Amino acid sequence: MYQRLQDVQLKTLVLYYSLSGKTKKVAEAIFKVAEEETDAELSELKNFTAEKLNNYDLAFIGSPCHDSDIAKPIKQLLENIQESPKFKLACFVTHSCNPPEMGDRFARLFNEWVGKCSNTLDEVVSSKNIDFKGFFRCQGAATPAIENFIHTEILPDKEEFQKFVTESRKHPDKQDIKNAQEFALKIIKRIHF
Ligand SMILES: Cc1cc2nc3c(=O)[nH]c(=O)nc-3n(C[C@H](O)[C@H](O)[C@H](O)COP(=O)(O)O)c2cc1C
């Protein structure tokens, strides 16, 4: 799909945590690019430790958004990273909330329901002095239980909720996957050249 970049054997890790497969789908798409361009591995978070990150030059780490923030297991991993690590970091997040581009109302909801993800990353990156290469996010369909929560607690209006589920259930879609792959390639290129 892509022309291979110069033959430097960059060791890349794509690590993800995913409860219902949305973040996994994005991770696999990123891995596809990483695999074509570098010496890449794909791994679930299970059994992975912060120390193991030191075996790579570049780590893409993915998480669903939970309670407006990076999911706890990934947050914990990030917090366990040693100071000034040698590897470079890029992160990706999937969230059920509609993206802010959908209008003022959704921009406010996005801020409230996804906003802590970038704050957490900013904090970790600056406190650990991490060479941070970028952040990607896209929508990921909510499970029925989360949809119910959203309807009850966030979008009680039937019409607004219907608009939300119609959009949310499509994601991650083809365009999200394409965007994720472009994001990954841009980061790999930035490191290669
Ligand atoms: C416990 C829990 C909490 C969630 N909290 C949020 C949230 O605060 N904001 C949001 O946009 N989505 C939230 N979601 C939805 C997920 O972030 C979203 O559906 C994601 O794409 C799921 O990814 P996964 O399939 O990889 O687990 C939550 C999901 C769960 C299970």
Side-chain angles (χ1 to χ4, degrees), residues 18-23 64-65 67-68 94-97 113 140-141 146:
S18 181
L19 293 180
S20 60
K22 312 305 176 305
T23 314
C65 172
D67 306 322
S68 318
T94 67
H95 53 85
S96 59
C97 198
W113 287 98
I146 296 295

Side-chain angles (χ1 to χ4, degrees), residues 11 13 31 41 43 48 50 55-56 75 103 105 166 177:
K11 279 199 79 181
L13 171 71
F31 174 68
E41 281 173 40
S43 177
F48 210 91
N55 297 330
Y56 302 88
K75 208 173 162 179
R105 167 109 172 101
T166 305
I177 294 304

Side-chain angles (χ1 to χ4, degrees), residues 128-145:
K128 304 281 182 180
N129 191 29
I130 295 171
D131 187 356
F132 190 64
K133 293 298 179 191
F135 173 63
F136 173 81
R137 59 156 180 83
C138 70
Q139 210 171 355
T143 57

